[in-house]
Amino acid sequence: MSQQPGTSGLIFNEPNLWDKSRKGRCAISLPTQDVERTRLDESLTGDAPELPQLSELDIARHYTRLSQWNFGVDSGMYPLGSCTMKYNPKTNEVQAARQGFAGAHPLAGDEFSQGALKLMYNLERYLAEITGFDAVSLQPAAGAHGELTGMLIIHAFHAKNGKQRSKIIIPDTAHGTNPASASLCGYESINIKSGENGILEPEAVAAVMDEDTAGIMVTNPNTLGLFESNIKKIADIVHEKGGLVYGDGANMNAIMGVVKPGKIGIDVLHLNLHKTFSTPHGGGGPGSGPVAVVEALEPFLPIPKVVKELDTYKFVTDCPDTIGRLHTFYGHFGVLIKAYSYILSMGAKGLCDVSKLAVLNANYVKERLKGTLNLPYDMPCMHECVFNDEFQKKNHITTMDMAKRLLDYGFHPPTVYFPLVVDAAFMVEPTETESKEYIDQFIDAVKAIAKEAQDDPEKLKKAPLLTKVTRLDEVTAARKPCLRG
Ligand SMILES: *Cc1c(COP(=O)(O)O)cnc(C)c1O
C-alpha cells in the first residue's frame, strides 16, 4: 500500500433538491384513486408547500452523492487525538438493532423490560470489574455529563460530611471539559502546571491542597497522552486533607485490562462508552458517560438505580442521599447495548489487547515521526502522541497548513491546537484498529508534507487543493454561520 488513499478523481457536484426540481417529476406511483377528487379547504391548509419535484433517480443520486462527501472511519484513517475514532465492529450495531431492544419503550415498566434491565445490571458489573470500582451508574449521557455527575457526587459527599468546600484543583493537562464541569457545580478551579516531563508532580498538588479544596480532577492518561505515574502519591495528598480524586477516564482504551483506576487512589471516574466501547461518535452522535465510584460514594449515585432481587431486575428511586435524576428516562440505551456486546465479544483478553495495541500504535507513530515533526515531550506515550510545528516555522508553515494538506492525501487531520500546554499542537491518535500498513501510509503522508514545507511552502499554504471546497474562511464561518446552505 505505497500509494496514498487520497485522490483527485471523481468528486460529483450536487445542487440542492430545489435546484434539481422540474415541474411534473414524481418519484412515487400511488394506486389509482377510486374516490372523487376534492380540494381541501384552503383557509385551513394555507398555501401548498413548495416541495421539489424529482424522479426516483434524482433522489437516489442526490443522497448517494452527499454520502460520498462524508468521511468516516469506515472510509479511512481518522487519527483525531483525544477522540478515539476507531473502527467499531458491526456486530455491535446488529445487536443494538435487535427487535426486542429497538422496540423497548421507557414507559413499558420494569415487568416488561426485564431483558433491558438485566443488560444494564450486567453492564454495570462489567464496567465495575474493568475499572476496579465498587459501583457504576449508566445514567450520564456523555463524557462531560459524567464529569458533572462526578462533581455533583463529590459536592454531595462534602455536604453530607457537614462542610462544603469551594475549590477544585485542575492541572493544565486536564481535558477542557473538566473546569467547565467543576464550575457548573459552583467550584472555583485552581489550575496547576504539570512538571517538565508533562506529568503532575506531587509537590505541585501539595502546595495548593487545603481543607477548602473539594478535590482534584485528573485526566489519566492526560491530554499529552502520558500516564500520570504519580497518581497514587497525589491521591494520598488529597485524601489526607479530606478531598476526593476525580479521574477522567474518557480514554480508557489506553489502560483497559492493564490498570484499574479504582485501585490507584481515584474515587470517582467517568468512561466514554462512545470512545472505548464501540459507539461511533463522529458528528456528535449519541454517547454515554457512565460513572464509577468507590463504596463510600455509592449512596450518592444518580437515580434510577438498577437492582436485582432474586431473579428479577427493577429500577429503584428511593435513595435518600442520591444526587437525583440527570434526565428523563435512562440515557442512550442503544450505546449501552453496543458496549455490552463489545465487552462480551472481546472478552477479558481481547480488551487488554486493545489497550496494548493502542499504545503500541501511538508509540510507533511517535518514534517514526519524531525527526519530521517536533516532539515537545519525548517520553513513552499511551494511546496518542503530541507534536507541533516548531521545525516548519522557519518556512512559515503552521500546524494548520499541514493538517489541511493531509486532506489532499486522503486522511482526516489529527486534533490541532489542543492540548493548550503545547504551542500549535498536532495530536495524533492512531487507535488500536489501524494496521501497520494504514499507519505507514499516514506517516509517509506526513513526511511528504514536511518535505513540501521546505520545497514548496506557498502551495502548502493554499491546501487543501483536491477537496470539494478548498481552504475555508473559518473565522467568518464561526462568526457569521450561513445556516441556509
Ligand atoms: C472526549 C473527552 C471528554 C468529553 O466527552 P464528551 O462525551 O464529548 O462530553 C472528556 N475528557 C476527555 C479526556 C475526553 O477525551
Side-chain angles (χ1 to χ4, degrees):
M1 278 203 286
S2 59
Q3 268 198 330
Q4 296 298 329
T7 169
S8 60
L10 283 171
I11 308 174
F12 290 107
N13 279 320
E14 184 58 19
N16 73 42
L17 289 177
W18 279 265
D19 290 345
K20 290 178 81 165
S21 173
R22 294 291 174 273
K23 206 167 173 7
R25 279 199 193 153
C26 186
I28 47 169
S29 343
L30 294 174
T32 325
Q33 271 172 300
D34 57 1
V35 290
E36 208 179 312
R37 202 179 176 102
T38 38
R39 285 197 76 78
L40 290 172
D41 180 349
E42 272 172 31
S43 67
L44 294 176
T45 58
D47 292 338
E50 268 186 53
L51 296 176
Q53 302 186 33
L54 302 154
S55 71
E56 184 175 325
L57 180 59
D58 288 337
I59 296 169
R61 284 206 176 135
H62 181 76
Y63 288 108
T64 304
R65 287 179 182 184
L66 293 193
S67 77
Q68 288 167 343
W69 293 354
N70 275 337
F71 186 87
V73 78
D74 289 359
S75 22
M77 189 169 161
Y78 205 140
L80 198 63
S82 197
C83 290
T84 313
M85 306 303 283
K86 66 183 189 181
Y87 177 74
N88 296 295
K90 299 291 175 256
T91 180
N92 304 322
E93 298 286 343
V94 173
Q95 311 316 325
R98 276 178 182 277
Q99 213 189 352
F101 288 135
H105 194 283
L107 293 177
D110 298 352
E111 201 185 329
F112 295 105
S113 310
Q114 284 297 298
L117 285 166
K118 182 176 178 185
L119 184 146
M120 291 175 86
Y121 183 87
N122 286 347
L123 179 59
E124 284 184 359
R125 296 319 315 148
Y126 287 143
L127 294 177
E129 171 66 27
I130 291 168
T131 55
F133 283 95
D134 298 303
V136 170
S137 167
L138 303 174
Q139 290 302 309
H145 202 203
E147 291 171 31
L148 176 63
T149 308
M151 283 294 109
L152 288 169
I153 290 172
I154 290 179
H155 199 268
F157 169 85
H158 287 302
K160 178 89 182 176
N161 286 326
K163 187 174 172 295
Q164 198 41 266
R165 300 180 172 206
S166 73
K167 298 179 289 183
I168 194 104
I169 303 171
I170 304 190
D172 56 0
T173 49
H175 194 265
T177 45
N178 289 189
S181 303
S183 79
L184 265 180
C185 258
Y187 287 124
E188 180 199 346
S189 305
I190 304 299
N191 298 311
I192 55 168
K193 283 198 182 324
S194 35
E196 260 169 42
N197 294 335
I199 60 167
L200 261 186
E201 309 277 1
E203 299 74 37
V205 178
V208 291
M209 184 63 207
D210 60 20
E211 262 139 37
D212 189 32
T213 303
I216 186 168
M217 289 184 94
V218 184
T219 301
N220 199 12
N222 69 25
T223 55
L224 286 168
L226 305 176
F227 187 74
E228 293 290 358
S229 46
N230 295 323
I231 184 71
K232 191 87 182 60
K233 269 192 209 147
I234 290 166
D236 289 345
I237 294 168
V238 172
H239 288 150
E240 206 174 298
K241 294 262 162 71
L244 293 173
V245 180
Y246 184 88
D248 182 329
N251 302 127
M252 192 71 193
N253 64 319
I255 56 171
M256 188 165 57
V258 181
V259 176
K260 291 192 172 189
K263 306 290 181 221
I264 55 172
I266 293 169
D267 301 297
V268 45
L269 174 104
H270 86 265
L271 297 168
N272 275 35
L273 298 188
H274 49 294
K275 285 181 181 162
T276 307
F277 295 92
S278 198
T279 283
H281 63 116
S288 177
V291 160
V293 294
V294 292
E295 201 179 355
L297 297 180
E298 188 172 350
F300 305 104
L301 283 175
I303 50 171
K305 298 183 187 181
V306 194
V307 296
K308 182 179 177 187
E309 278 169 12
L310 299 173
D311 276 335
T312 309
Y313 299 86
K314 63 177 188 177
F315 277 128
V316 293
T317 51
D318 174 21
C319 312
D321 289 328
T322 175
I323 59 164
R325 273 183 191 274
L326 298 172
H327 45 53
T328 333
F329 303 130
Y330 316 111
H332 295 135
F333 185 59
V335 179
L336 305 183
I337 304 168
K338 286 184 254 186
Y340 187 66
S341 166
Y342 181 68
I343 292 170
L344 287 182
S345 57
M346 296 297 284
K349 180 173 178 311
L351 293 179
C352 184
D353 288 346
V354 161
S355 305
K356 291 181 179 167
L357 283 173
V359 172
L360 177 68
N361 285 353
N363 279 282
Y364 179 70
V365 171
K366 174 177 74 68
E367 286 304 308
R368 284 213 49 210
L369 279 182
K370 76 180 182 190
T372 307
L373 299 177
N374 180 45
L375 181 70
Y377 296 92
D378 191 358
M379 306 245 299
C381 64
M382 301 301 288
H383 60 303
E384 58 199 2
C385 50
V386 184
F387 303 96
N388 73 1
D389 57 12
E390 204 55 42
F391 296 166
Q392 284 72 32
K393 267 188 182 160
K394 59 178 185 302
N395 295 310
H396 306 287
I397 291 300
T398 63
T399 287
M400 186 58 83
D401 299 326
M402 294 190 280
K404 294 285 183 196
R405 185 68 172 143
L406 270 169
L407 295 168
D408 288 333
Y409 283 82
F411 293 97
H412 191 287
T415 294
V416 291
Y417 299 88
F418 176 85
L420 302 177
V421 256
V422 169
D423 194 30
F426 182 101
M427 184 196 212
V428 182
E429 179 178 5
T431 81
E432 69 277 6
T433 54
E434 294 298 330
S435 66
K436 180 170 179 299
E437 291 76 28
Y438 289 125
I439 297 175
D440 281 339
Q441 273 188 336
F442 173 77
I443 290 170
D444 289 348
V446 175
K447 285 182 185 268
I449 293 168
K451 190 161 179 324
E452 287 175 345
Q454 286 177 342
D455 301 346
D456 197 354
E458 283 315 307
K459 180 173 163 194
L460 210 49
K461 284 241 147 278
K462 297 194 196 91
L465 303 164
L466 305 177
T467 46
K468 184 119 198 9
V469 287
T470 52
R471 188 149 334 181
L472 298 171
D473 179 351
E474 290 179 2
V475 178
T476 309
R479 300 249 162 91
K480 294 185 192 156
C482 166
L483 302 176
R484 298 184 60 203

